[in-house]
Amino acid sequence: MKRLIPLLCLALILPGKIIAQQNKIWTLEECINYAFEQNISVRKNNLNNQRFELYAGQAKAQQLPSANGSVNQNFSWSKNTTADNSGFSGNNNTSYSVSSQITVFNASRLTNLIKQAELDLEGGNYTLETTKEAISLNILNAYLQILYAEEQVKNSEKQIESTESQVNLAAERLAMQVISQADFAQVKSQLASEKLTLANSQSQLAIAKVNLMQLMELPVTEDFNIAHPVMPESLNQHRIPDVKSVYETALSIKPQVKNANINKEIAALDEKIARAGFYPLLSASAGLSTGYSFLGSLDQNDPYFDQLNKGIRPTAGLSLSIPIYQRKQIRTSLDVARIGYEDAVLSETDTKNQLRKNIEQACQDVVSAQTEYEASQESYNATLESSRLSDEKFTQGLINSVDYLVSKTNLIVAESGLLQSKFNLIFSYKILDFYAGIPLSI
């Protein structure tokens, strides 16, 4: 019974968890947070940061004195050469010592190594944030692709529903010989075409869901569903983005810029650390030793602890190492460090330039997306009115199937264009908000 009860509890709990996971409606924030927990790059960055923490602690510990202890035990034998005592005699020697050493002067090399280790840790955190931002943007794009695909499916279903009613009407007219067989076939062909469009839309929706689940490192399941945010009726916010303002904000908050600056500081410290090799190294040391020696028999030796007490020998000293000729090792290290610093400066400039270009593109995308959305909306409204009139005329038999299908096709194209411009506008706004430091949300 003791073994059976836990098994019964698991049997009751696990199905509930599986059902809850299957019925879960994922919001954008939940998708992003789940991806942060599961993404391999994020987890590797976390491990790197743990290493940097250990290295920083080790660098600080280098300023402390070292301490070492040793115990030596030696046995020796010698052959007796006297006439009345032949054979071997043995000696037993034991020694104990402790020593300590500390660096007194090394041209701030240890201090700079500590600063460098701390900067490595800080840079690792910014690298992690940069990785998370890239993941967030990918998740946002995939999330919007699902919403876009779902609306495509809904629009296709509405078009099919409308066309099916027209097919039924055309069938009645054909039976009354009001229209020809060719007209009926054209309307029926339109329905088949729209069903194919629906199938393609459903396929695109399935692919979009798989893409998002894979970005989240979530096993693919057919029960995956996302939340549907309520979109405002007027999506166009009529923004006039200022590149300079957005760029200045991004420079102060974006982790890739901060990381590039830290890499430049680390490279500058490399130069200082290499330059320290030209200066002398002064170290201080101290020690304490004692020992015990056993020579042949107890009568010939002082007691053990008496020998240890009498044999205590403290030592202290200074050691000065002066570099004279290092076969160009120090000079080469210094020159390489200078090149590394120049490379870090160029990398920082390139990072800032790339950020500026991205923001310039994002600002232009917002302006273009707003214009495109307004034009698409106007085109859709006009096409919708025209299509409504065509439906009425076709129902009344005032136009033939060719004119009706042209109007129907124009509506489908206009509806698709409006849907695409709608989500393009949403995405362009979110990208601009991203550079302005506004958290991603829908």
Side-chain angles (χ1 to χ4, degrees), residues 143-409:
Y143 198 92
L144 290 176
Q145 286 296 328
I146 293 178
L147 294 177
Y148 171 72
E150 286 179 340
E151 290 207 23
Q152 274 190 317
V153 170
K154 291 179 182 178
N155 290 342
S156 298
E157 290 173 343
K158 290 180 182 179
Q159 293 293 342
I160 289 175
E161 183 180 354
S162 173
T163 305
E164 282 178 341
S165 64
Q166 297 298 341
V167 169
N168 295 333
L169 178 61
E172 294 176 1
R173 288 184 174 180
L174 179 64
M176 294 184 296
Q177 297 183 348
V178 176
I179 63 174
S180 65
Q181 184 69 36
D183 287 339
F184 176 74
Q186 286 178 334
V187 178
K188 196 172 182 181
S189 173
Q190 176 68 21
L191 178 60
S193 176
E194 290 178 2
K195 287 183 177 180
L196 177 60
T197 301
L198 174 61
N200 291 333
S201 299
Q202 291 172 336
S203 176
Q204 291 299 320
L205 175 58
I207 292 173
K209 286 186 176 182
V210 169
N211 184 35
L212 178 56
M213 284 184 281
Q214 289 180 342
L215 287 173
M216 294 169 57
E217 301 293 344
L218 178 70
V220 175
T221 172
E222 295 182 357
D223 301 315
F224 180 79
N225 294 294
I226 65 173
H228 298 82
V230 179
M231 300 292 183
E233 293 184 3
S234 179
L235 284 176
N236 194 345
Q237 301 174 13
H238 301 284
R239 295 190 189 183
I240 306 177
D242 182 14
V243 174
K244 182 178 179 182
S245 176
V246 177
Y247 179 59
E248 289 176 351
T249 300
L251 280 179
S252 63
I253 62 174
K254 283 304 162 187
Q256 63 266 35
V257 177
K258 295 181 179 180
N259 193 28
N261 181 261
I262 284 178
N263 288 335
K264 185 179 70 173
E265 294 182 28
I266 291 174
L269 289 174
D270 278 335
E271 187 175 347
K272 293 180 179 180
I273 292 170
R275 191 181 297 278
F278 290 116
Y279 294 88
L281 173 62
L282 179 62
S283 302
S285 61
L288 188 68
S289 63
T290 186
Y292 169 80
S293 178
F294 179 81
L295 304 172
S297 65
L298 291 174
D299 295 337
Q300 298 174 336
N301 297 276
D302 292 333
Y304 180 81
F305 290 104
D306 287 347
Q307 284 196 36
L308 293 181
N309 186 40
K310 292 177 181 179
I312 293 176
R313 294 186 301 274
T315 60
L318 295 174
S319 174
L320 182 64
S321 175
I322 303 174
I324 298 175
Y325 177 68
Q326 303 294 329
R327 292 173 294 184
K328 296 188 68 175
Q329 291 182 1
I330 300 174
R331 173 58 62 183
T332 301
S333 297
L334 180 59
D335 291 341
V336 170
R338 286 172 177 169
I339 294 173
Y341 178 76
E342 293 177 3
D343 183 73
V345 171
L346 291 176
S347 295
E348 182 187 33
T349 303
D350 182 60
T351 300
K352 291 181 179 180
N353 288 341
Q354 188 60 49
L355 178 64
R356 175 181 52 79
K357 293 175 184 178
N358 291 341
I359 291 175
E360 290 172 345
Q361 184 65 50
C363 291
Q364 184 58 48
D365 287 344
V366 166
V367 175
S368 300
Q370 290 176 157
T371 303
E372 181 183 356
Y373 177 73
E374 288 296 326
S376 298
Q377 194 170 43
E378 185 177 350
S379 174
Y380 171 75
N381 291 335
T383 308
L384 180 63
E385 180 63 21
S386 175
S387 177
R388 185 182 64 80
L389 294 175
S390 296
D391 285 347
E392 292 179 0
K393 291 180 180 180
F394 185 71
T395 302
Q396 297 171 4
L398 299 178
I399 60 174
N400 57 31
S401 60
V402 174
D403 293 334
Y404 166 73
L405 293 179
V406 169
S407 176
K408 185 81 170 177
T409 302

Side-chain angles (χ1 to χ4, degrees), residues 14-26:
L14 288 178
K17 288 186 175 180
I18 295 174
I19 293 174
Q21 185 79 1
Q22 291 176 345
N23 296 332
K24 180 176 178 60
I25 304 298
W26 293 84

Side-chain angles (χ1 to χ4, degrees), residues 81-101:
T81 57
T82 59
D84 56 350
N85 190 10
S86 60
F88 291 87
S89 62
N91 296 325
N92 178 2
N93 297 308
T94 306
S95 62
Y96 304 91
S97 66
V98 290
S99 62
S100 178
Q101 187 175 16

Side-chain angles (χ1 to χ4, degrees), residues 24-72:
K24 180 176 178 60
I25 304 298
W26 293 84
T27 65
L28 175 63
E29 291 79 4
E30 289 174 337
C31 291
I32 291 175
N33 291 332
Y34 186 88
F36 287 167
E37 294 175 359
Q38 302 298 322
N39 186 268
I40 300 300
S41 296
V42 171
R43 294 164 71 177
K44 283 189 173 183
N45 283 333
N46 283 325
L47 292 177
N48 284 334
N49 290 342
Q50 292 178 24
R51 292 190 187 98
F52 289 142
E53 287 181 2
L54 295 175
Y55 293 151
Q58 183 185 30
K60 292 178 181 178
Q62 296 301 310
Q63 291 182 313
L64 302 176
S66 63
N68 295 287
S70 66
V71 178
N72 294 316

